Amino acid sequence: MNRIFSGVQPTGNLHLGNYLGAIRNWVRLQSEYECVFCIVDMHAITVWQDPQGLRDHTREVTAGMLAAGVDPARNVVFNQSQVPAHAELAWIFNCVARLGWLNRMTQFKEKAGKHRENASVGLYAYPNLMAADILAYRATHVPVGEDQKQHLELARDIAQKFNGDYGRDFFPLPEPLIFGAATRVMSLRDGTKKMSKSDESDYSRINMTDDADTIALKIRKAKTDLEPLPAEESGLEGRPEAANLVGIFAALADRTRQEVLTDFAGAQFSEFKKALTELAVATLGPMNAEMKRLLADPGHVDSVLRDGGRRARELSEPIMREVFDIVGFLRP
Ligand code: AMP
Ligand code: TRP
């Protein structure tokens, strides 16, 4: 049986990159697979989080997912810390994974930067917790962005070593579902940088909570060059900002870049930006309104998470019972 697991960190405003690169794909997968979607608050605290900020962001990310169309009745939607299996299995995986494997992880090197000695042990062990997230449900498929591919390979290595060490074919080797570079959304201020919640300029990103006027203003101010739009994709080479806006248009309209260029060949950016604003507002506007409605009722959001947590425990508990038995933990 195929089962999807995916996670998103509750660490700040959801933006268009999160929507086009992750959440929208989850919505599409929910009709084909059994899906478990997790807001990974335990991963979030690998770097400092203000407690009230963490609570707020957990609700915000949940509201964003629901507003984008993730159906909590059909899928399991919950925050990680509600389910003990994640921490329990992560500890076992800390004892399966090798130091040499973790030393190769590029995300740790990037996040720890020059202050490696000062990074939390949790940040180092982050990929083991991610492997535990997936394998506590014996998930077979994991939609992730390109940046998480290395962590997923590590999860496969851990599953394989566990199976080998204990002589049991217990964990599946989870497969990545990568949703192409087409959905890599870049900053509106610098087409060579990823759109990111950590960019200090709010004009670099479109947030899922931005209203129509803010979206229009940000697109109007988005950096471009002086040339009109080309007729062919090759004409976007060396024009990162133009390529990004065309890519965003294509992703929102569910068309190829070439189709978009065929329609807008020779157009000035002023005209193209108007069309892009209309499209962005039409897509994000209703989500934005729904997100606001949901955030005004945190009790409802909490009840969705509580129900998801209960169902996630029901799925993971029998798997963990088997894991404890395989490892030799006595449960008298
Ligand atoms: P993050 O906000 O970096 O924790 O990422 C959450 C999810 O959104 C991950 O699956 C990322 O791959 C995806 N994501 C984040 N930023 C972008 C972006 N600029 N373009 C496309 N996908 C993104
Ligand atoms: N590390 C992922 C990210 O930053 C989030 C994540 C945690 C995840 N656990 C996961 C993604 C399990 C997929 C599967 O985007």
Side-chain angles (χ1 to χ4, degrees):
M1 187 195 53
N2 287 330
R3 180 179 280 169
I4 294 255
F5 184 97
S6 200
V8 63
Q9 293 204 49
T11 46
N13 292 340
L14 287 175
H15 52 71
L16 189 63
N18 298 128
Y19 174 66
L20 293 175
I23 297 176
R24 185 173 73 160
N25 300 323
W26 297 3
V27 176
R28 293 176 175 184
L29 288 166
Q30 65 186 0
S31 53
E32 285 166 58
Y33 291 90
E34 179 189 10
C35 300
V36 181
F37 294 131
C38 184
I39 296 109
V40 292
D41 46 10
M42 291 160 63
H43 277 105
I45 63 161
T46 56
V47 296
W48 169 251
Q49 301 297 325
D50 167 68
Q52 191 53 43
L54 184 58
R55 277 187 280 271
D56 291 344
H57 289 143
T58 301
R59 291 189 178 115
E60 191 181 302
V61 169
T62 308
M65 285 166 56
L66 302 182
V70 171
D71 177 357
R74 190 158 8 145
N75 307 286
V76 179
V77 176
F78 69 108
N79 58 308
Q80 193 181 24
S81 59
Q82 284 197 79
V83 181
H86 296 256
E88 292 167 347
L89 191 56
W91 180 257
I92 293 171
F93 287 170
N94 283 344
C95 303
V96 173
R98 306 288 93 183
L99 281 177
W101 300 359
L102 289 177
N103 284 339
R104 286 197 286 276
M105 294 295 115
T106 53
Q107 181 179 289
F108 175 76
K109 290 180 202 163
E110 276 163 28
K111 286 200 181 175
K114 291 194 198 84
H115 310 289
R116 208 185 147 102
E117 298 291 310
N118 218 5
S120 74
V121 175
L123 189 65
Y124 187 70
Y126 179 115
N128 296 346
L129 177 59
M130 182 161 156
D133 295 340
I134 300 163
L135 294 170
Y137 302 90
R138 288 166 104 171
T140 54
H141 293 81
V142 183
V144 282
E146 195 69 41
D147 57 327
Q148 295 298 314
K149 230 174 126 181
Q150 193 186 34
H151 287 161
L152 197 66
E153 267 154 31
L154 188 89
R156 291 168 62 89
D157 291 342
I158 289 176
Q160 200 157 28
K161 183 162 176 4
F162 181 97
N163 291 347
D165 287 354
Y166 292 102
R168 291 278 302 268
D169 191 19
F170 185 71
F171 287 121
L173 305 189
E175 303 274 351
L177 291 173
I178 304 264
F179 287 87
T183 46
R184 195 174 152 87
V185 181
M186 311 308 278
S187 159
L188 298 181
R189 308 300 289 170
D190 176 352
T192 62
K193 264 175 43 190
K194 219 173 92 161
M195 183 178 286
S196 156
K197 55 191 154 208
S198 54
D199 195 311
E200 72 259 10
S201 166
D202 201 50
Y203 283 102
S204 70
R205 64 187 155 255
I206 294 174
N207 300 309
M208 279 178 73
T209 47
D210 286 342
D211 59 22
D213 289 345
T214 312
I215 294 173
L217 182 66
K218 285 178 174 176
I219 292 178
R220 200 159 63 238
K221 283 186 170 273
K223 188 173 163 197
T224 53
D225 50 42
L226 299 169
E227 304 290 314
L229 285 165
E232 303 289 335
E233 257 194 285
S234 57
L236 292 171
E237 264 166 43
R239 302 176 65 187
E241 284 80 19
N244 187 36
L245 293 183
V246 171
I248 292 174
F249 193 109
L252 284 171
D254 242 327
R255 299 167 68 199
T256 65
R257 286 169 190 240
Q258 185 53 58
E259 283 169 346
V260 174
L261 289 177
T262 304
D263 276 6
F264 287 94
Q268 298 296 329
F269 273 104
S270 51
E271 180 193 342
F272 181 68
K273 281 179 165 184
K274 253 188 228 139
L276 178 59
T277 301
E278 259 172 48
L279 180 60
V281 168
T283 314
L284 299 175
M287 274 192 300
N288 170 279
E290 176 63 3
M291 221 176 138
K292 285 206 174 113
R293 195 185 67 77
L294 287 164
L295 287 173
D297 185 4
H300 171 70
V301 173
D302 289 5
S303 76
V304 166
L305 291 173
R306 194 179 319 116
D307 179 57
R310 183 183 53 72
R311 287 158 59 206
R313 283 191 297 275
E314 271 167 22
L315 291 175
S316 57
E317 272 166 12
I319 294 172
M320 288 310 293
R321 262 199 298 280
E322 275 194 76
V323 170
F324 290 153
D325 186 51
I326 290 171
V327 171
F329 288 166
L330 201 57
R331 312 221 107 193

